[in-house]
Amino acid sequence: IDPKTTSRSAQSAFFVLYNSDGVLDETGEFISFNIETISHTTTTPGSISSDVMWVDLPGKSYHYADGSTIPPPTIPPGIGEDLHQISLGLRIAAGIMMGLIFIFSIGFMGWTYYHRTTHIVRASQPFFLYIICIGTFIMGSAIIPI
């Protein structure tokens, strides 16, 4: 392990690339696979991890999904990664709304407890009002992952 990056050294692993070709038999019922080694990794002694390279075996070539040995076109350069993250302003606004939901949920729960003996609150069933307040509190907490 590299003490600077705490990453595993590339020289500590040996990678092999295989071709696996399926061949249907004469009856059309069975497929037999032919697996052959095409390439492997190697390093030069005393080299750094970026010096790991693939070495092709003589007379062997990789077969792509279309059956050819020509690699498909690469991804065009300049295509960046868009993480689709929410802007800081929207995250702050969502946090403020979440705080308001928490305050109102707890506030209305307190209001219900304080007025639980009045006729209109008893008719609305305080236990049911508590469940509604708890539900809105949980709904507001769904903003946290944002």
Side-chain angles (χ1 to χ4, degrees):
I1 295 182
D2 186 3
K4 292 179 184 174
T5 62
T6 65
S7 295
R8 179 177 162 175
S9 172
Q11 291 98 346
S12 66
F14 182 74
F15 297 98
V16 178
L17 181 65
Y18 296 100
N19 259 345
S20 175
D21 296 327
V23 179
L24 197 61
D25 70 349
E26 299 84 29
T27 64
E29 295 181 12
F30 299 103
I31 296 177
S32 62
F33 288 96
N34 178 23
I35 299 174
E36 62 179 344
T37 305
I38 301 301
S39 184
H40 64 85
T41 57
T42 186
T43 60
T44 54
S47 67
I48 58 174
S49 62
S50 63
D51 290 341
V52 176
M53 54 191 231
W54 287 93
V55 175
D56 293 331
L57 298 177
K60 306 284 183 172
S61 60
Y62 184 76
H63 295 252
Y64 295 91
D66 62 356
S68 71
T69 57
I70 301 168
T74 59
I75 298 174
I79 295 180
E81 182 178 15
D82 185 5
L83 299 177
H84 301 291
Q85 292 184 342
I86 297 172
S87 68
L88 180 62
L90 285 176
R91 283 190 276 165
I92 290 171
I96 291 170
M97 286 185 222
M98 180 187 68
L100 288 172
I101 291 170
F102 286 173
I103 290 168
F104 280 114
S105 294
I106 293 169
F108 284 127
M109 190 177 284
W111 183 90
T112 303
Y113 181 78
Y114 183 74
H115 294 285
R116 70 185 181 278
T117 57
T118 63
H119 177 68
I120 193 73
V121 174
R122 279 190 298 145
S124 300
Q125 301 178 356
F127 183 72
F128 177 70
L129 296 174
Y130 293 143
I131 291 173
I132 291 175
C133 290
I134 290 169
T136 57
F137 190 89
I138 291 171
M139 177 203 62
S141 68
I143 297 175
I144 293 172
I146 293 176

